Amino acid sequence: MPDSQPQQPPSGSPRPSGDDGAAADGSGLLLCGARLVDGRTVDVRIGSGRIEAVGTAGSLTAYAATRLDLAGYLLLPAPAEPHAHADTALSADAPGPVPYDVQDVQRRATEAALLQLGHGATVLRSHVRVGDVAGLGALEAVLQARRALRGLAELSVVAMPRLLTGVAGADGLALLRDAVRMGATAVGGRPDLDPDPTGYVQTVLELAAEHGCAVDLHTDGDDPTRLARLATMAGGLRPKVALGPCGGLAHLPDQAAGRVAERLAAAGVFVVCLPQGGCGGVERRETAPVRLLRSAGVRVAAGSGALRDTGNPVGRGDPLEAAYLLASRYGVRTDAAYDTVCATAREVLGLPPVRVEAGFPAELLAVRGQRLGAVLSLGYSRIVIHRGRVVARTSAVREYCDSAAAAALELPRQGRPQAPG
């Protein structure tokens, strides 16, 4: 399947000017008049997929390139999605069990990734079940979706077997090895479903060490002793281990949760919480105590979890919503909340950092608004830049009826063309 092309923006949305072909290979793009979180208004020059220069507004206009006017937009490093479920995404309305036909999974996985790309996530990690009904078919389908998305978004896969110990776990281990050979870049699963949770984790860690894979495990975290033991076991693979969503920690007394947080920090593992809801890999829907974990030194990222499947039939897969919920419901500062879906989420995926500075990768998100709190609250209009080129646009227009109040406040309206006489 060839790379999909982004749709043309509707009338009224920002458009690039100049030679449209100049940015087709990720080079020659100038972002004009963008606002940064520190309040500066700047021009940003991009070439070969990286930020080449950042200067005061108007200072880079001599640069001959495709230009994109970002007046009225806040420019941010693009968020990342550290915890998705592409094999079950968009299946909430399917009658009966989740369909695992390869073509159906590929279609849903591709559509889900594009939805999340439209929200701003240029890189995504998806957990995919192997074994049972799915076999390796769901994994192959998601890998096909990854190939189809090349150039638009990056999609990596965590292979999740159900069992790994005992006689029944032998098949799961064989499938997990096959999954890594097929292209899974991380291994994981839900240890609590195995009769021997400790043995399950040990097997995953040994295979990951053998193949140089990352580890991403599902756990509710409601058993502090087990969670602390898991963290200690995983410490040898730091910083390639993520645990989540750990919602059960929210029900522990503060002292007990604090002790577990200290063990997690000492082990150097990540915790990936799911503030937008749960996923099929865990029972609890609570959000891990992010402020407590961060204060103990744990690196916390936030993911979307279920995207309109049985785990969350109304899941949006929007990283800005995840940050909004952490700020509005759990008292996390807006900058720290955005860090969980951006800088720390990229760390979970083993990616280099992104800042709006010369030399950094051009993975960017422009959201209409003047400050971070405002775009987390109502950031509808978005422009997504991946590898230095615009790959997705969302344009939202709010209209008000004719009224004295609207006219007095100069509220925005969209003019409509007159019908021909």
Side-chain angles (χ1 to χ4, degrees), residues 77-91 105-128 142 145 149 152-156 272-279 302-309 312 314-323 338 340-341 345 349 363-367 379-380 382-386 391-394:
E81 172 53 70
H83 191 122
H85 286 267
D87 56 338
T88 59
L90 307 176
S91 63
V105 174
Q106 181 183 356
R107 177 189 59 79
R108 290 188 286 103
T110 304
E111 183 179 352
L114 289 174
L115 284 172
Q116 295 189 267
L117 174 65
H119 292 317
T122 59
V123 289
L124 308 95
R125 172 183 281 184
S126 171
H127 296 256
V128 178
V142 175
L149 291 162
L152 291 175
E154 308 298 325
L155 176 62
S156 62
V272 181
C273 67
L274 302 178
Q276 296 176 88
C279 65
S304 297
L307 175 57
R308 291 182 0 220
D309 65 19
N312 184 359
V314 295
R316 296 179 180 175
D318 185 351
L320 296 195
E321 184 186 39
Y338 192 72
T340 66
V341 301
L349 302 181
E363 301 288 317
L364 302 168
L365 171 63
V367 189
Y380 298 126
R382 308 181 192 187
I383 300 173
V384 186
I385 296 172
H386 172 52
V391 292
R393 300 170 185 264
T394 301

Side-chain angles (χ1 to χ4, degrees), residues 214-314:
V215 171
D216 200 328
L217 293 164
H218 284 68
T219 179
D220 288 316
D222 50 0
D223 184 333
T225 302
R226 179 182 296 173
L227 184 58
R229 185 187 309 121
L230 193 161
T232 300
M233 293 173 63
L237 273 181
R238 66 163 72 186
K240 290 188 173 183
V241 178
L243 309 175
C246 297
L249 286 175
H251 288 271
L252 297 179
D254 287 347
Q255 279 192 330
R259 287 193 294 270
V260 175
E262 290 172 358
R263 296 283 293 275
L264 293 169
V269 300
F270 294 95
V271 169
V272 181
C273 67
L274 302 178
Q276 296 176 88
C279 65
V282 292
E283 300 296 332
R284 295 184 179 273
R285 289 177 172 267
E286 295 86 352
T287 300
V290 175
R291 293 177 63 187
L292 181 147
L293 291 167
R294 285 175 58 93
S295 66
V298 181
R299 291 170 294 173
V300 182
S304 297
L307 175 57
R308 291 182 0 220
D309 65 19
T310 56
N312 184 359
V314 295

Side-chain angles (χ1 to χ4, degrees), residues 136 139 171-184 207:
L136 290 171
L139 176 68
D171 289 341
L173 179 57
L175 286 171
L176 193 58
R177 292 186 180 279
D178 288 341
V180 172
R181 283 193 287 268
M182 289 171 62
L207 190 144

